Amino acid sequence: MGKTLAEKVWDSHIVRKGEVVGSEAQPDLLYIDLHLVHEVTSPQAFEGLRLAGRPLRRPDLTIATEDHNTPTLDIDKPIADLTSRTQIETLRTNCREFGVRLHSLGDAEQGIVHVVGPQLGLTQPGLTVVCGDSHTSTHGAFGALAIGIGTSEVEHVMATQTLSLKPFRTMGITVEGTLKPGVTSKDIILAIIAKIGTGGGQGYVLEFRGSAIRSLSMEARMTICNMSIEAGARAGMVAPDDITFDYLKGRPHAPQGAEWDAAVVDWRSLRTDDDAVFDAEVFLDADDLEPFVTWGTNPGQGVSLSQSVPAPEDFADENDRAACERALDYMALAPRTPMKDIRVDTVFLGSCTNSRIEDLRIAADIIRGREKDPAIRMMVVPGSARVRLEAETEGLDQVFKDFGAEWRFAGCSMCLGMNPDQLAPGERCASTSNRNFEGRQGKGGRTHLVSPVVAAATAVRGTLSSPSDLDPVPPVGTLRPSVTAPTATTAV
Amino acid sequence: MEKITTHTGIGVPLRQSNVDTDQIIPAVYLKRITRTGFEDALFAEWRKDENFILNREPYTRASVLVAGPDFGTGSSREHAVWALKDFGFKAVLSSRFADIFRGNSGKQGLVAAQLAQDDIELIWKVLDNEPGAEVTVDLQARTAVCGSVTAPFQIDDYTRWRLLEGLDDIGLTLRHKEDITAFEEKRPAYKPTTLPALLQG
Ligand code: SF4
C-alpha cells in the first residue's frame, strides 16, 4: 500500500523506531531539520541545558527571532514592559552563549518566526520543523512536517536535535473547484474549521489537496496550514509543486546549482501515493465558498459574510447551544443580526496568518483610492521587517498611510497583545489573525476573524464587508490624489 | 538528572486531599523565565499563613511529602514539580496521583510513590507523634519506612528504572547518540543550515 505525504516525511526522519513494550508502542525518535526559537518559550529550555551542562547539539539547524513581545512603534527605544524586556534580553544572552543565530528588533530579517523561516528559504519541502509555538503548522505549506512543541520538548530538541513522537493519524482534506473573486484561502480554512469543529482534527496531520489548493500561492497555502491548529490538528501540509519551487528558488538558504536539482528530484516524490489511504477524509467545494467570518469566541464559530449571527436554538447539541449563548453574550451580539450590519472599531491586518507581502498587496489594492471610515482605527503590521521593506519599495506603505491606517513595525502585535497593541474592553475588531478567544487581543476585546480582503473592505465601510459591497473607486482627481504604486506581483 | 536508589529525609504530613497544581504553584509564578528558584512559589497561598506546616520547624527542611489522595490534579504545569524539587522534596507519598503530575515527576527526578491510604495514615501517625521523624524511600525495595511502619509502594517499572539510572528524557535519548550521529551522516547535502547566515541583498 502507498504512503501519504505525512508518512513519507515521517519515515524519512526515523532515527530509532519505538520499541513495543507490552501492547504499547513507544514513540519513534525523529530527527529535526529545523528548530525555530523565539523569546517566550525558550528561556527555560536554555536554562535546562545550562543546568545539566549540556551543549546545544546543532546551532546550525537553529534560528531565533524576536516577535511576540516586540513593540511595533518606537522600536529604537527600550521596551517599557519589564516582563517583555526581560524575555527579549534573555533570548539575546542565550543566543550569544549557545551560538544561535538571532534576528533582533531592528534587523532586516526580524519578524514573526513563521514568516521569517519561509522568507529566508529555510523552510523547505520534506523537512521536519519544530518551534515552541502552536502555529508552527504554517511551514507545512511547503510539504514539511511542522509541529508546535512545549518548552521541555524545545530543550530536548536543543540537546539532541530529535524528538520522541507517537505517530499521528492522517486526514485528507480535498478542496475542489475555483474560488470566486474576493474569496481567499482564509475563507477556505475558516469554512473547514466551521465544518469539522475546533476538535475535528485532533490527533491528525491534515493534508490539504485538490484543485483549489493546487492553484493557491505559497502565501495562501501558509494561511491554511497556519490555522490547521485551530481545528485541533498537530500539523497541516500541502504537497510541494512548481509553485513551491518557484517561491523557494533564489531565496538565501535555498539549495543552489546541482544541489537544487537534486533537491527538486527528491521534493517531487513528496506526494501522497494514489493508493495511499487516509485515516479520515473531508471534502469541500470551493465554487460555493463565500467570504467567511467568525461571530463567536472560537475559530469554529463562523458563517458566510452574507449570513446572520446564529441563535442558540440553531444548535442541536446542548454543549454547542451553551457555547453559542456564552459567545453571543461575550461578543455582545443579538441572534439574527446580519453579519454585514456589525460595526467594528478596529481593523488589524497582521499576524503569522496574514501578514505576508501578498496579504498587504491584496488589502492595498482594495483601499487604494478609497477613504477609510473615519471611526475606524486600522493597524497594519507586516509579518517581518523584510515584508515591511518590500511593501515600502512597492509604495504600499503610502497607500495605507493615505488611507489613514497606522503603518507599524513587524511582530505578533495585536494577534495576542503581549506588547502594547491591545484592544480596549468592549472594543470590536476585524482581525486577520487566527484566534478569537475571549480576551485574546486584550481584556474584554471582541474579535472577528476575517481575510485581508474583508479586513480592507471593512475599514472602508465600517461594518463587516466584502469588496463587492463597496462603491466603485471614484475617478482620479475627485478625491485625494490617487497613488500610483507599481503593481509588482513577484516576491523578491 | 541525579540517580536515586534510596532517600531518607524529614517527612511532612500534609493531611489534605485533592491538592491541585494551582495550590502547589499559583499561576502568577508561571511568568518567570527561570527553571529553578521556585521554592518561594511552592504552596505560596497556604504559606501566607504562618501556621502552615511548611512554615514551621523542622519542616522547612523536609524532603518527603506525605500527602492525602489525588495529589497533583488540575493544570499540567511542569512548574509544580520544579517548585517541589526546589523546596527540597525528593519524594511525594500519596494513595493517588493525577496522571500528568505523576508523569512529570518521573521525568524530572521526583519520586511519586503510591501507597495504600491505610499506610499513609500510619505514617501520618508516626510523624504526628514524633515531629521531624525521617522517612526512608527505598526505590530498590519499593518500600517507605517511617518509625515502626514499613509500607510497600507502587511505581511503574519504567519510571523506577529511569529514576534509578538518573535518566531524564534527554538523558534517555542521548543513550542513542550514535544512532543520531549515524542519521546525521546520511542526511542529504542540500538540506539547509542556518549558519552561516545568508541574507538577501
Ligand atoms: S502572530 Fe500570533 S499566532 Fe502567530 S506566532 Fe505570533 S502570537 Fe502566535
Side-chain angles (χ1 to χ4, degrees), chain A residues 67-68 112-114 133 135 226 351-352 412 415-416 434 440:
Chain A
D67 54 10
H68 283 67
I112 307 173
V113 65
H114 310 310
D133 186 279
H135 292 95
N226 173 277
S351 91
C352 58
C412 294
C415 173
L416 87 169
N434 46 43
R440 166 83 174 180

Side-chain angles (χ1 to χ4, degrees), chain A residues 12-16 29 31 33 43-44 47 51 54 57-63 86-87 90 101 109 119 122 124 126-127 152 155-156 159-160 162 252-253 259 263 266 386, chain B residues 1 30-36 38 78-79 82 158 168-174 176-177 179-181 183-184 187-201:
Chain A
S12 65
H13 286 82
I14 297 178
V15 174
R16 260 182 83 88
L29 192 63
Y31 198 79
D33 292 312
Q44 272 127 354
E47 198 184 331
L51 287 171
R54 288 179 175 133
R57 186 178 173 92
R58 296 293 301 262
D60 63 332
L61 301 182
T62 313
I63 184 170
T86 312
Q87 286 194 342
T90 308
R101 168 176 171 189
E109 306 299 341
Q119 162 187 295
L122 282 167
Q124 296 176 11
L127 300 187
S152 39
E155 185 184 336
H156 191 278
T160 69
T162 63
H253 285 271
E259 287 195 341
D266 278 4
R386 174 69 57 193
Chain B
M1 206 166 96
L30 308 188
K31 275 196 191 162
R32 293 188 178 171
I33 51 157
T34 53
R35 193 153 176 176
T36 51
F38 285 95
E78 292 170 79
H79 300 67
W82 299 345
Y158 182 67
D168 57 10
D169 276 343
I170 295 175
L172 266 172
T173 299
L174 288 176
H176 306 303
K177 223 173 176 169
D179 293 336
I180 300 174
T181 309
F183 185 92
E184 280 173 336
R187 292 176 76 232
Y190 63 74
K191 293 247 181 178
T193 57
T194 57
L195 299 172
L198 306 171
L199 302 174
Q200 303 190 9

Side-chain angles (χ1 to χ4, degrees), chain A residues 329-408:
Chain A
D329 184 48
Y330 182 84
M331 294 296 289
L333 290 174
R336 313 286 175 232
T337 309
M339 292 308 291
K340 287 189 179 177
D341 287 356
I342 298 174
R343 256 209 91 77
V344 308
D345 308 298
T346 295
V347 171
F348 172 62
L349 179 59
S351 91
C352 58
T353 316
N354 284 121
S355 63
R356 297 178 181 80
I357 189 68
E358 181 182 275
D359 301 308
L360 302 192
R361 285 183 193 136
I362 290 174
D365 278 346
I366 292 165
I367 62 172
R368 190 176 281 122
R370 291 197 158 97
E371 279 196 277
K372 182 173 72 62
D373 179 290
I376 293 258
R377 160 168 79 138
M378 182 176 187
M379 260 176 67
V380 184
V381 184
S384 69
R386 174 69 57 193
V387 169
R388 185 179 144 104
L389 285 172
E390 239 175 294
E392 288 178 351
T393 313
E394 295 176 20
L396 303 183
D397 59 323
Q398 206 51 51
V399 178
F400 289 117
K401 287 184 207 159
D402 286 349
F403 181 68
E406 298 171 34
W407 179 245
R408 298 290 191 104

Side-chain angles (χ1 to χ4, degrees), chain B residues 14-126:
Chain B
L14 186 69
R15 289 175 176 271
Q16 287 251 18
S17 61
N18 273 301
V19 175
D20 62 59
T21 51
D22 258 284
Q23 304 308 323
I24 301 173
I25 180 168
V28 294
Y29 293 96
L30 308 188
K31 275 196 191 162
R32 293 188 178 171
I33 51 157
T34 53
R35 193 153 176 176
T36 51
F38 285 95
E39 54 275 9
D40 61 324
L42 180 69
F43 297 121
E45 279 306 311
W46 293 350
R47 272 160 79 195
K48 287 180 182 161
D49 170 5
E50 60 185 41
N51 287 321
F52 178 62
I53 193 158
L54 285 185
N55 287 335
R56 304 200 312 253
E57 293 303 336
Y59 300 115
T60 54
R61 289 174 283 121
S63 61
V64 179
L65 184 66
V66 188
D70 294 313
F71 189 83
T73 52
S75 124
S76 63
R77 59 191 70 157
E78 292 170 79
H79 300 67
V81 178
W82 299 345
L84 285 160
K85 282 185 64 188
D86 289 348
F87 186 89
F89 285 110
K90 302 279 189 235
V92 182
L93 276 43
S94 167
S95 61
R96 224 163 31 225
F97 290 96
D99 277 341
I100 296 179
F101 177 85
R102 196 205 331 249
N104 288 342
S105 299
K107 286 181 177 186
Q108 294 172 58
L110 179 74
V111 180
Q114 189 176 327
L115 279 75
Q117 184 58 29
D118 290 346
D119 289 331
I120 294 276
E121 308 267 352
L122 292 175
I123 294 175
W124 277 344
K125 243 181 226 154
V126 177

